[in-house]
Amino acid sequence: MNTKKLLKDQVHDIGRYLTLCGMIRRSLEMNKYVFGIDVGGTTIKCGLFSSKGEILDSWEIVTNKEDNGDHIVSDIARTIEAKCEEKGIQLSEVEGVGIGVPGPVDNNGVVKVAVNLGWTERHVKTELEEMIKVPVAVGNDANVAALGELWLGAAAGAQDAIMFTLGTGVGGGVIVDGKVVAGVHGAGGEIGHLAVVLEDGNQCNCGKKGCLETVASATGIVRETEKFLLHTAEESTLRQLDKIEAKDVFDAAKAGDAVGLKMVDQLGRYIGLAAANLAATTDPQKIIIGGGVSKAGDILIDTIVKHYQNYAFSAVRQTQFVLAELGNEAGIVGSAYLAKTL
Ligand code: ZN
């Protein structure tokens, strides 16, 4: 009799266990997609990801800037709905949509201004959520790219990182505890506008003088090199070029050209100084160097590290510098990750 009861209890327990397994399985199967959207001035890059970070599809649509960019948000809604239909995905299976925008974004997903899109203040999160009934997260594009590197790129596995994006301008992202520091005005992580040249600095696009962007962007590197060549008689292969590009400066340095080496050293000093001050503020696990200028590779990293270690507070002196890995995909990857943090 007792054995029978025991067996019945066990069967009952197994039944409950199987029901529980079914519930867990269903909850794991639900909400298994995220979209990452990277809005640029000419194209909108889109990515469909699994929640685990596998990229399932990527595509682009044209940025329609007509009527002060009024159609952009609805175009994004339409392309997401179309992709879901194409792939047989229900909107209820979408965990969230992340969007990277070229402008400051506050913590409520409000874009303050995005000149390249024709936007003044725009409530992107609320607008898109009303259209597609899926949670939406919005971030600044440079910040979002940093998140991408943190999720699947050069800083994968880290929770605290700082990224410098050295391109035609200088952008970046500061990540603390896995979250981008956006700040009160959405200006958090505007690394390009750290003051590094204290006297006689070049005019920056932001209105200030001596910002990091004026000396560490591709344009800034060329301008500094041309200025130096003009004020010195020092021999350099760079003098033989009709038009100097940032890559030429690195190539000259790699070939041992004295002016090339001097300019790369100066660049490394400015970035090293900025990185040391930031590292003393947030104590990151990794500092990522990305953007077109980072294609210079080891010579750039090595020079930055040399100066960084000179300027850095002792506890953060050995912080690791790494080159970005995701290139142009950092935007959609980071936006997708942003959606996961909702
Ligand atoms: Zn500036």
Side-chain angles (χ1 to χ4, degrees):
M1 187 68 185
N2 278 347
T3 320
K4 240 182 181 179
K5 188 178 180 299
L6 198 66
L7 203 65
K8 203 176 154 192
D9 283 352
Q10 278 179 350
V11 169
H12 182 70
D13 284 349
I14 291 169
R16 281 179 55 185
Y17 173 72
L18 288 176
T19 312
L20 192 66
C21 284
M23 281 167 67
I24 293 170
R25 182 171 53 80
R26 276 193 298 281
S27 74
L28 285 174
E29 278 174 2
M30 276 177 70
N31 298 334
K32 54 184 177 182
Y33 302 101
V34 280
F35 282 89
I37 312 287
D38 181 15
V39 185
T42 48
T43 57
I44 300 172
K45 295 189 181 75
C46 310
L48 170 65
F49 295 77
S50 72
S51 297
K52 289 180 201 149
E54 296 139 327
I55 183 155
L56 305 172
D57 199 0
S58 65
W59 69 102
E60 285 183 11
I61 59 171
V62 173
T63 310
N64 180 358
K65 288 190 282 190
E66 280 174 31
D67 307 318
N68 294 322
D70 262 351
H71 310 285
I72 293 173
V73 177
S74 51
D75 284 352
I76 293 171
R78 260 201 302 275
T79 198
I80 288 172
E81 284 166 346
K83 188 55 68 178
C84 284
E85 205 178 317
E86 181 195 320
K87 301 279 182 188
I89 297 169
Q90 302 294 315
L91 281 176
S92 59
E93 294 176 288
V94 178
E95 205 176 316
V97 175
I99 303 189
V101 172
V105 183
D106 74 10
N107 287 322
N108 300 315
V110 178
V111 179
K112 297 296 183 182
V113 62
V115 184
N116 290 344
L117 308 178
W119 287 358
T120 48
E121 186 171 298
R122 186 126 213 159
H123 295 242
V124 178
K125 177 180 162 69
T126 331
E127 271 185 54
L128 190 60
E129 280 180 347
E130 272 170 23
M131 289 177 196
I132 59 171
K133 316 291 181 210
V134 165
V136 173
V138 189
N140 167 268
D141 56 357
N143 287 345
V144 159
L147 273 182
E149 293 290 344
L150 188 88
W151 190 27
L152 300 176
Q159 283 291 293
D160 295 83
I162 293 170
M163 179 162 169
F164 286 74
T165 306
L166 312 172
T168 38
V170 173
V174 176
I175 299 168
V176 176
D177 285 339
K179 293 205 167 169
V180 154
V181 177
V184 179
H185 306 96
E190 285 289 354
I191 288 171
H193 304 288
L194 289 172
V196 293
V197 186
L198 301 184
E199 281 169 34
D200 302 324
N202 293 317
Q203 184 70 46
C204 183
N205 291 329
C206 75
K208 290 201 303 144
K209 283 183 175 173
C211 294
L212 182 64
E213 179 164 297
T214 67
V215 286
S217 61
T219 333
I221 294 166
V222 171
R223 187 174 43 207
E224 286 296 290
T225 306
E226 286 172 342
K227 202 163 82 181
F228 182 78
L229 288 171
L230 210 63
H231 291 97
T232 170
E234 205 162 331
E235 271 305 305
S236 172
T237 52
L238 291 164
R239 287 191 195 280
Q240 293 153 18
L241 302 171
D242 292 337
K243 189 175 173 292
I244 298 173
E245 291 186 9
K247 183 180 182 300
D248 300 322
V249 181
F250 288 106
D251 286 346
K254 285 174 191 171
D257 182 272
V259 174
L261 283 166
K262 196 178 178 78
M263 300 322 296
V264 172
D265 192 68
Q266 175 185 294
L267 172 69
R269 184 158 55 88
Y270 286 132
I271 299 172
L273 171 66
N277 288 338
L278 289 169
T281 316
T282 68
D283 189 5
Q285 238 167 310
K286 290 192 178 174
I287 299 175
I288 311 157
I289 307 291
V293 173
S294 71
K295 288 186 184 144
D298 288 346
I299 190 171
L300 176 63
I301 295 281
D302 293 347
T303 316
I304 294 171
V305 169
K306 181 184 89 178
H307 290 288
Y308 171 82
Q309 292 186 339
N310 185 34
Y311 290 123
F313 173 57
S314 60
V316 298
R317 200 167 288 150
Q318 299 308 322
T319 301
Q320 195 188 355
F321 281 74
V322 286
L323 286 168
E325 288 175 2
L326 297 180
N328 287 338
E329 287 212 327
I332 55 169
V333 174
S335 301
Y337 183 77
L338 194 63
K340 281 175 60 64
T341 60
L342 282 163

